[in-house]
Amino acid sequence: DFALTEEQGFIRDTIKKFVAKECEREAVKKMDEEGVFPATLFGKLSEMGLCALTVPEADGGGGPNTLGAVIVTAELAAIYPALAGLFATQTLCAGKIIADLGTPAQKEKYLPGILDGSTLMTPALMEPDQGYTEADNKTTAAPDGDRLILNGTKAFVRLADHAGFMIAYVGTGMDGGAADFVVVDLRNPGVAVRLVPQVGFNGMNLCEVSLKSAVVGANERLGSPADTDRKKWEKVMSAEHLAVAACGIGLARGAYEYALNYSRERVQFGQAIIKFGAVQEMLVEMMQQTRAATLLTWQAASMADEGKDCLAESIQARIAAAEAAHRAALSGVQIFGGYGYAMEYDAQRYLR
């Protein structure tokens, strides 16, 4: 059944109204050019209760409604990718991971701030020159009594310059040992954050985070004794891939709709360029890939809401969404012609 529930339909209508009112294209363009961190708009999303979508009611949230959070993320990404990335990181990653793997004490400590937006938390999963696989992790968390000593470097950490905490992928033991996840206070004196210059997504910075004998309590390790290393890894990676997929399908749809509207207005050789077969072919391909990626993403989100393992589906959704966004952005620039290279139009922003 591909129909949304009444609640999910309400969420979709609500976020569409929010975007129409609060994310006017020219205002978003100005914020993007200035690299403004979208704290004010994110605060409004938090006040609307949308950051609570992935957290069960038993833990103080309004879910689980992972599909609802995906819908919100995609609507935001279609016009303001930086805000979508912030929302997805807080909701589909931090909120869902703490709700799924946090101990009762961790949930009590972190979830209230995540839900009301006062505490930003981000996953730190990748390392320099390494990918997502378990074998790639080199950051260690050496046990020392009731504390852990962290050493290593995490790369491409979203929002680390604004977040209060990160969920670090580490290996417990002096030689890395078993895979584990630890909540790290980014104000820790053993933590250093460096901004990584980037081409796009202005307003949502990527960072490199260095851990040099950073001390955290052993009680900051996520998961119960019953949770295997593999289970924790799959839960965290499912959340990460789904968050990226949600942003991707929104970007793809935004690029498609922007190009579609332009092609109806732009006149060449006495007719709108949408009448040309080459333009029609690009638009059809953009929509087809976007719809396919959206269905894969919705499937993964629905499986998460049902409590099913969805790592494979989340990875498939991410791959499809990334490809759809890439192809839609490139085709959009082509449809705009020379104007696709001009900063006054948003075609270039979708590509960046």
Side-chain angles (χ1 to χ4, degrees):
D1 185 358
F2 294 104
L4 298 177
T5 65
E6 183 178 351
E7 180 184 5
Q8 289 161 348
F10 176 76
I11 291 170
R12 180 193 57 193
D13 294 341
T14 299
I15 193 60
K16 281 182 176 292
K17 292 177 182 177
F18 173 87
V19 168
K21 179 182 178 182
E22 303 287 351
C23 300
E24 193 272 332
R25 185 172 291 277
E26 287 303 313
V28 169
K29 179 181 176 182
K30 187 173 186 296
M31 287 188 284
D32 175 76
E33 291 173 349
E34 297 175 356
V36 174
F37 182 68
T40 301
L41 290 176
F42 177 71
K44 292 181 179 181
L45 293 172
S46 300
E47 291 173 3
M48 293 164 64
L50 295 176
C51 288
L53 287 173
T54 57
V55 177
E57 293 182 4
D59 294 322
N65 194 340
T66 308
L67 180 53
V70 165
I71 291 169
V72 171
T73 301
E75 289 293 335
L76 294 172
I79 183 68
Y80 197 176
L83 179 58
L86 171 55
F87 177 81
T89 298
Q90 183 79 345
T91 307
L92 288 166
C93 290
K96 182 165 178 53
I97 291 169
I98 296 298
D100 286 346
L101 294 175
T103 65
Q106 289 167 341
K107 291 179 181 180
E108 182 178 356
K109 179 179 179 180
Y110 295 117
L111 282 181
I114 291 174
L115 298 182
D116 66 19
S118 61
T119 298
L120 295 183
M121 183 179 290
T122 184
L125 309 176
M126 299 181 69
E127 306 207 351
D129 303 319
Q130 303 291 343
Y132 281 116
T133 63
E134 293 170 281
D136 289 333
N137 189 48
K138 296 179 180 178
T139 300
T140 60
D144 182 29
D146 61 353
R147 60 184 194 167
L148 299 170
I149 311 298
L150 275 58
N151 284 283
T153 302
K154 310 308 290 188
F156 305 112
V157 183
R158 302 184 295 271
L159 307 169
D161 54 328
H162 289 280
F165 301 89
M166 70 177 185
I167 300 171
Y169 180 31
V170 301
T172 50
M174 295 302 295
D175 60 350
D180 221 326
F181 296 90
V182 178
V183 178
V184 180
D185 190 330
L186 286 166
R187 296 161 295 187
N188 188 305
V191 176
V193 177
R194 181 181 71 85
L195 295 182
V196 177
Q198 58 200 56
V199 174
F201 263 79
N202 297 333
M204 190 190 76
N205 294 319
L206 293 175
C207 305
E208 181 178 271
V209 181
S210 299
L211 302 166
K212 297 182 179 180
S213 298
V215 179
V216 301
N219 59 354
E220 297 293 358
R221 292 171 63 176
L222 293 179
S224 68
D227 293 326
T228 64
D229 296 342
R230 182 68 185 180
K231 176 185 176 181
K232 288 186 283 188
W233 187 80
E234 289 186 354
K235 286 284 188 182
V236 173
M237 293 302 170
S238 295
E240 168 71 3
H241 291 303
L242 188 56
V244 176
C247 290
I249 60 174
L251 271 166
R253 184 167 61 80
Y256 163 74
E257 292 176 349
Y258 190 59
L260 176 65
N261 292 333
Y262 178 80
S263 70
R264 287 169 170 164
E265 299 171 357
R266 177 65 169 168
V267 175
Q268 283 287 298
F269 305 107
Q271 62 180 349
I273 63 173
I274 197 172
K275 300 289 186 179
F276 300 140
V279 173
Q280 293 174 357
E281 184 176 342
M282 283 190 284
L283 289 169
V284 168
E285 184 182 68
M286 292 162 75
M287 172 51 78
Q288 180 269 325
Q289 291 184 337
T290 299
R291 287 176 64 87
T294 297
L295 291 176
L296 284 172
T297 304
W298 282 22
Q299 179 196 29
S302 296
M303 290 177 67
D305 284 334
E306 294 169 4
K308 298 178 180 178
D309 294 335
C310 60
L311 178 58
E313 289 77 11
S314 296
I315 293 173
Q316 292 163 10
R318 176 182 179 150
I319 293 171
E323 180 63 17
H326 176 221
R327 296 289 292 274
L330 282 174
S331 294
V333 169
Q334 284 187 288
I335 290 171
F336 271 76
Y339 289 120
Y341 196 66
M343 294 299 289
E344 62 181 296
Y345 290 92
D346 278 350
Q348 49 77 28
R349 189 159 65 85
Y350 287 109
L351 185 59
R352 289 189 293 111

